[in-house]
Amino acid sequence: MRKRILSAIVSTAMAASLLAGCGGAAAPAAEAPAAESKAPAAEAPAAESKAPAESAAPAAADAGDKTIGIAMPTNSLERWNRDGSFLKEQFESAGFKTELVFSNNEIDQQVSDLENLIADNVSLLVVAAIDGESLSTVLKDAKDAGIPVISYDRLIMNTDAISYYVSFDNYTVGKLQGEFVRDALDLDNAEGPFNIEFTAGDPADNNAGFFFNGAVDVLQPYIDSGKLVVPSGQTSFEQVATQQWDTQNALDRFQNILGSYYSDGTKLDVALCSNDSTALGVAQAIQSDYAGDNKVIITGQDGDEANLANIVDGIQTMSVYKAVANEAVATLDLGVAILNGETPDAGLIDAAGWDFECAYDTSSYDNGTGIIPSYLLVPTVVTKDNLKEALVDPGYYTMDDKGYLHPVG
Ligand code: BGC
């Protein structure tokens, strides 16, 4: 039932996006009048075929005999719950059975969860790694058993067992955060100097460096010229990383920074956080321990429910939204092609007819054994000003009567 509702919502959203004449994920239905987004899907037959549940890829032969193993890092960080349920829903709607596991952010548990999935003879593994460096041995077992592996969202390193990577353009996520800060402070024209502190992600996650570098590459020239200053002096990835992307770790570190470098009244202009779980901790630290009364610009990524509430309340300034529902659709179509014995390439994107932007990339992601062909979706900036058109109108979230957002699915 829930599947049908989601499909209808997303289908309607895609109808709105088509009516607006733009791609779904990258350019949310900004021009789609609200009324149109409510139009029954029946009035937009062209869009109907693009609903995720009716993915354009031909079904895998004998899908019903096949089980897809889906391994997500943890259910303690909001987004992986959504990924897990979208992936399960996609593969089941195409006729497959699924086994979905969450590994509590513990590397050993993920290894043993994967061992169990391999022992259960799954036909395909979709894996978001906890530690990208720790799965070589277990994935060799998958390879030996002839089980193809899709590296999902996070690149798995040092193994030739994975054949494809599906993610968002991770460097662009950081770049969008850096550009947002540059534009919000008008760094090219304003006199400054402005004070900024960085909070990055888990060093075990290959994505974390991409996010950080994307942001720093935009902001470094202003740091070099003195227009942006980092009072803590913590500018390297290692110094600003957050183990396990954990909210409490980010909070603790930021309280220390505020206590050590800002208690004398030094003004903090920007807290650049790589994602929402870290932004949540940093925002709490600022609320409890920052002496200044200016509004600190706080960035994030994911559109977690609590962070969107903070955006509505003016506590967090922006988030980079990644439509994981679409990431699941891309993974299904790729998985079906692999199971059908094909060797997917850029042609999959055209063949699938996705109504969201996706690039086929064969240069950015080297996992130590060579380049891993990647399907990269496009992230979107959300702020208080575009929450409705970027997230509600396309059907990803609902908005309650107080203006707060709640994820669908
Ligand atoms: C994902 C982000 C997420 C982070 C923490 C990263 O690998 O790409 O979307 O915020 O993990 O869960």
Side-chain angles (χ1 to χ4, degrees):
M1 185 58 182
R2 201 166 57 86
K3 182 174 74 193
R4 285 213 203 99
I5 291 169
L6 177 73
S7 302
I9 290 170
V10 177
S11 167
T12 304
M14 295 197 171
S17 147
L18 280 186
L19 287 167
C22 56
E31 293 155 44
E36 267 167 1
S37 73
K38 300 222 172 66
E43 285 173 30
E48 186 66 4
S49 63
K50 309 230 168 156
E54 298 167 53
S55 146
D62 48 35
D65 301 335
K66 296 191 165 86
T67 300
I68 311 300
I70 303 167
M72 296 289 111
T74 175
N75 53 12
S76 69
L77 292 171
E78 183 181 319
R79 75 154 285 186
W80 304 110
N81 291 293
R82 278 188 273 138
D83 291 89
S85 55
F86 283 130
L87 284 163
K88 185 171 154 56
E89 182 174 282
Q90 283 303 316
F91 279 99
E92 288 181 359
S93 71
F96 296 97
K97 300 189 193 77
T98 60
E99 276 190 54
L100 168 63
V101 295
F102 294 93
S103 304
N104 203 25
N105 255 342
E106 283 168 21
I107 298 166
D108 292 349
Q109 188 180 329
Q110 187 163 53
V111 170
S112 86
D113 286 340
L114 288 169
E115 278 164 357
N116 290 336
L117 291 170
I118 294 166
D120 287 350
N121 276 322
V122 294
S123 298
L124 171 73
L125 280 168
V126 177
V127 183
I130 294 165
D131 180 341
E133 307 273 351
S134 301
L135 300 179
S136 309
T137 308
V138 68
L139 292 185
K140 183 175 181 311
D141 293 346
K143 189 178 180 189
D144 291 346
I147 302 170
V149 182
I150 296 175
S151 187
Y152 181 82
D153 201 83
R154 299 173 169 178
L155 186 64
I156 303 171
M157 307 300 289
N158 302 323
T159 167
D160 64 359
I162 59 167
S163 33
Y164 289 95
Y165 177 45
V166 177
S167 192
F168 280 77
D169 182 334
N170 296 302
Y171 182 83
T172 294
V173 170
K175 190 162 162 262
L176 290 172
Q177 294 168 338
E179 288 171 349
F180 182 89
V181 168
R182 180 196 64 198
D183 297 346
L185 294 177
D186 193 15
L187 288 177
D188 287 325
N189 301 302
E191 216 170 289
F194 300 100
N195 291 331
I196 184 169
E197 297 293 343
F198 293 91
T199 300
D202 187 343
D205 175 355
N206 186 63
N207 288 351
F210 279 87
F211 301 144
F212 181 69
N213 290 337
V216 167
D217 285 353
V218 175
L219 298 177
Q220 191 64 46
Y222 305 100
I223 296 176
D224 292 344
S225 73
K227 204 172 266 191
L228 270 184
V229 177
V230 187
S232 71
Q234 298 182 16
T235 52
S236 71
F237 175 74
E238 291 70 26
Q239 288 171 311
V240 304
T242 309
Q243 292 294 329
Q244 302 211 321
W245 294 96
D246 183 67
T247 299
Q248 187 66 42
N249 291 343
L251 192 159
D252 292 345
R253 172 175 167 270
F254 219 78
Q255 282 182 327
N256 284 334
I257 286 180
L258 291 172
S260 305
Y261 305 99
Y262 292 84
S263 57
D264 61 356
T266 300
K267 185 179 177 203
L268 174 65
D269 296 290
V270 183
L272 189 134
C273 304
S274 285
N275 87 329
D276 279 354
S277 59
T278 55
L280 204 59
V282 166
Q284 277 174 40
I286 290 171
Q287 283 182 299
S288 62
D289 288 49
Y290 177 52
D293 56 10
N294 61 302
K295 205 150 242 36
V296 180
I297 295 170
I298 304 178
T299 68
Q301 166 188 193
D302 287 334
D304 286 352
E305 199 167 2
N307 298 75
L308 293 177
N310 275 354
I311 290 177
V312 172
D313 291 341
I315 296 167
Q316 183 170 324
T317 322
M318 65 88 84
S319 188
V320 178
Y321 180 65
K322 305 192 297 191
V324 296
N326 295 339
E327 197 173 4
V329 172
T331 305
L332 169 66
D333 287 348
L334 173 62
V336 167
I338 294 171
L339 290 172
N340 281 342
E342 296 161 25
T343 309
D345 56 17
L348 178 76
I349 296 172
D350 292 334
W354 296 324
D355 196 11
F356 50 85
E357 276 189 59
C358 181
Y360 182 66
D361 179 306
T362 53
S363 61
S364 303
Y365 291 95
D366 186 331
N367 85 336
T369 66
I371 294 284
I372 305 299
S374 307
Y375 292 90
L376 302 177
L377 287 77
V378 180
T380 316
V381 169
V382 294
T383 65
K384 197 171 184 166
D385 294 336
N386 73 347
L387 284 177
K388 187 173 173 302
E389 63 202 58
L391 301 181
V392 179
D393 291 348
Y396 301 130
Y397 293 76
T398 56
M399 188 181 277
D400 67 24
D401 52 9
K402 295 197 178 81
Y404 293 112
L405 275 66
H406 308 285
V408 172

